[in-house]
Amino acid sequence: MRIKFINLGCKVNLNETENLKRACHQEGYEIVSEGDPADLIVINSCSVTHISDRKTRQKISQAKREEALVAVMGCYVDLHEEIMVDLLIPNNSKDQALELIKELVGEGPRQNEEFVYDKTRAFLKVQDGCNQFCSYCIIPYARGRARSYSFERIKKELISYLDEGFKEIVLTGINLSFYGKDTLSSLGELLTEIKPILGDNRLRLGSLEPHVISEDFLRTCMDLPGFCPHFHLSLQSGSDSVLERMNRHYSTKDFKERVDLIRSFLPLAAITTDIIVGFPEETEKEFNETMDFVRDIGFSHIHVFAYSPRQGTAAAKQIDLHPEVKKRRSKLLRKLAKENKEKYLDLFINKEVEVLFEENSSGLSREYIHCYSQTKKENNSLEELKVLKAENDRLIV
């Protein structure tokens, strides 16, 4: 029985896909790559935007044409009832995904061979769900309420990743900043709990809400020998009036104070973010406020998204802007983001950076900067190297 996995969407999905892939391998099923023929195709879907929905539908259609059994899991399953495939695995059944697959295709011949990864970083999911209900976001309806995984579960998975040779662990969750709110704990306590296991291995944090940043939290981060000074703080808009309509629970003043606090501890830390342009009724004045705020902060990287209405959310009831307006604003913001990134990369010229090489002598610094070595480097090797120049959105070392 050959099984092919197709992953769409966020790093949480990636963690879930890799764990299921490993479990299926251990059960004795043959795992094949995306371009190979398979008896069963498992699609971990995404539904965060209408484009994500379209990609999921395309992958389902392609899978059906391959004359294989098709299983679909993830957010698309929870939000759409019309899917006609052989197996549906909603988010609340992902922990039982292997058993559901076995019911569909039968038992596999168990084996104990080591599962070989082609990645150097492991995504460790510590939390699921979200209580925020931002006015544009459908994910709380698909993933459910925020819930934290136990220290024991997290440590067990962390140990397995380190035993397999991963040199960087990325903590992920649908709302990572809310880790521990339901268990009288916190993200900072989790970092302290896993510190002895991590040792000198690199640790990177996934997307954070600004409120989690405090002096105590930053000291806890810096106490980890392998901490990566990269903070992805979800902004979404640089206009306070838009943030209020989005049901985001902070102001631009709050956000800037957190960024300034990070830089007081870690002056060269990477500050990356997500920004939605063309939110319903966003005026030219509000968009320009976002542009000014981006100039003020000087993000090292920005993911720019044009607003996409999601039926069932509060924002979908508001007046959507013309696609050409969104397109123009996206272009302007991406241009500014590129300028900011170039300025950030120039700060590293003639400095040394630690690079974890992944493939073709390319890798990532602790600051999540793509680096390229002009001399051949082994995959999964970790080296401290001098930056020669910045070129094409990366550092040459």
Side-chain angles (χ1 to χ4, degrees):
M1 171 61 65
R2 295 164 301 176
I3 304 181
K4 173 164 52 181
F5 289 85
I6 297 171
N7 187 76
L8 301 169
C10 64
K11 291 180 175 63
V12 171
N13 267 18
L14 183 59
N15 167 267
E16 294 165 346
T17 298
E18 290 299 323
N19 283 347
L20 180 56
K21 189 187 296 185
R22 177 171 55 181
C24 286
H25 172 81
Q26 291 170 345
E27 188 65 29
Y29 301 119
E30 180 184 354
I31 310 302
V32 299
S33 61
E34 192 165 334
D36 294 333
D39 303 299
L40 169 66
I41 300 172
V42 180
I43 301 169
N44 199 356
S45 66
C46 179
S47 201
V48 69
T49 67
H50 74 283
I51 295 174
S52 303
D53 272 354
R54 187 172 69 220
K55 287 181 179 178
T56 296
R57 289 192 294 270
Q58 289 172 345
K59 291 298 183 182
I60 293 172
S61 297
Q62 291 170 10
K64 286 181 175 180
R65 290 196 294 270
E66 293 186 35
E67 298 183 353
L69 295 171
V70 179
V72 181
M73 56 194 287
C75 293
Y76 190 89
V77 175
D78 287 81
L79 298 172
H80 301 274
E81 298 178 352
E82 75 282 5
I83 315 170
M84 299 296 291
V85 294
D86 300 285
L87 176 63
L88 295 175
I89 307 173
N91 279 314
N92 63 8
S93 297
K94 279 185 174 179
D95 286 346
Q96 292 81 48
L98 176 62
E99 295 306 315
L100 294 172
I101 288 173
K102 288 163 65 176
E103 288 177 13
L104 177 67
V105 301
E107 297 276 347
R110 282 190 170 273
Q111 60 185 42
N112 296 315
E113 295 176 15
E114 182 180 356
F115 184 67
V116 179
Y117 286 88
D118 59 0
K119 301 288 185 182
T120 58
R121 297 177 295 136
F123 295 92
L124 175 52
K125 177 183 170 184
V126 303
Q127 178 273 344
D128 206 341
C130 183
N131 300 343
Q132 289 290 88
F133 289 94
C134 298
S135 65
Y136 53 82
C137 186
I138 198 69
I139 298 305
Y141 302 95
R143 288 275 181 172
R145 304 291 285 181
R147 52 208 182 273
S148 305
Y149 292 171
S150 68
F151 288 164
E152 290 71 25
R153 171 175 174 165
I154 293 166
K155 287 192 285 190
K156 181 179 178 181
E157 190 169 343
L158 172 59
I159 290 169
S160 71
Y161 285 144
L162 295 178
D163 286 346
E164 289 163 12
F166 288 100
K167 293 183 178 176
E168 179 177 307
I169 305 298
V170 185
L171 294 191
T172 67
I174 295 300
N175 196 330
L176 181 61
S177 301
F178 279 76
Y179 179 85
K181 297 290 184 182
D182 55 333
T183 57
L184 301 179
S185 181
S186 68
L187 183 57
E189 286 184 35
L190 173 60
L191 297 183
T192 300
E193 187 77 17
I194 64 175
K195 178 185 173 183
I197 300 172
L198 271 171
D200 293 335
N201 291 285
R202 299 204 326 191
L203 180 83
R204 190 179 304 278
L205 299 174
S207 181
L208 299 172
E209 295 291 323
H211 73 81
V212 79
I213 304 299
S214 67
E215 289 191 13
D216 286 344
F217 180 73
L218 290 171
R219 289 192 181 96
T220 298
C221 291
M222 293 175 67
D223 195 39
L224 301 173
F227 178 72
C228 295
H230 167 216
F231 296 86
H232 187 85
L233 303 180
S234 298
L235 174 62
Q236 307 303 356
S237 176
S239 166
D240 285 329
S241 51
V242 174
L243 287 174
E244 186 174 352
R245 296 202 299 276
M246 287 180 166
N247 196 33
R248 301 292 287 173
H249 302 284
Y250 53 82
S251 66
T252 53
K253 180 176 179 291
D254 297 330
F255 191 98
K256 187 175 187 306
E257 286 175 352
R258 310 293 173 152
V259 172
D260 288 344
L261 183 59
I262 291 170
R263 286 176 172 159
S264 71
F265 279 82
L266 298 158
L268 285 178
I271 311 293
T272 61
T273 198
D274 306 309
I275 295 179
I276 297 171
V277 298
F279 190 73
E281 303 176 17
E282 180 187 62
T283 65
E284 200 68 21
K285 177 178 179 293
E286 288 171 330
F287 173 68
N288 287 331
E289 288 172 351
T290 292
M291 292 287 283
D292 289 341
F293 191 71
V294 166
R295 290 188 188 94
D296 187 27
I297 296 295
F299 294 101
S300 56
H301 185 76
I302 302 174
H303 296 289
V304 179
F305 301 90
Y307 170 74
S308 170
R310 309 304 290 139
Q311 292 302 315
T313 63
K317 301 173 184 177
Q318 300 172 350
I319 299 172
D320 198 12
L321 299 187
H322 193 280
E324 287 301 316
V325 174
K326 298 179 188 178
K327 183 177 178 180
R328 178 181 62 83
R329 291 178 183 175
S330 295
K331 185 177 180 180
L332 288 171
L333 183 54
R334 287 193 176 102
K335 181 176 181 292
L336 177 57
K338 187 175 188 300
E339 293 169 358
N340 282 350
K341 185 170 187 176
E342 289 171 350
K343 291 177 183 176
Y344 180 68
L345 294 184
D346 285 344
L347 297 175
F348 290 87
I349 295 175
N350 293 323
K351 291 184 170 64
E352 289 200 342
V353 294
E354 182 188 81
V355 184
L356 177 57
F357 288 97
E358 295 190 322
E359 57 183 354
N360 301 322
S361 297
S362 297
L364 289 171
S365 74
R366 289 199 183 204
E367 297 80 11
Y368 204 72
I369 302 172
H370 288 272
C371 301
Y372 174 74
S373 173
Q374 296 174 322
T375 59
K376 183 174 175 55
K377 301 296 180 183
E378 293 296 321
N379 290 4
N380 209 29
S381 63
L382 196 63
E383 294 189 43
E384 191 91 16
L385 297 166
K386 185 177 180 179
V387 175
L388 305 176
K389 60 182 176 178
E391 180 180 273
N392 298 327
D393 284 344
R394 62 183 183 177
L395 298 177
I396 308 300
V397 295

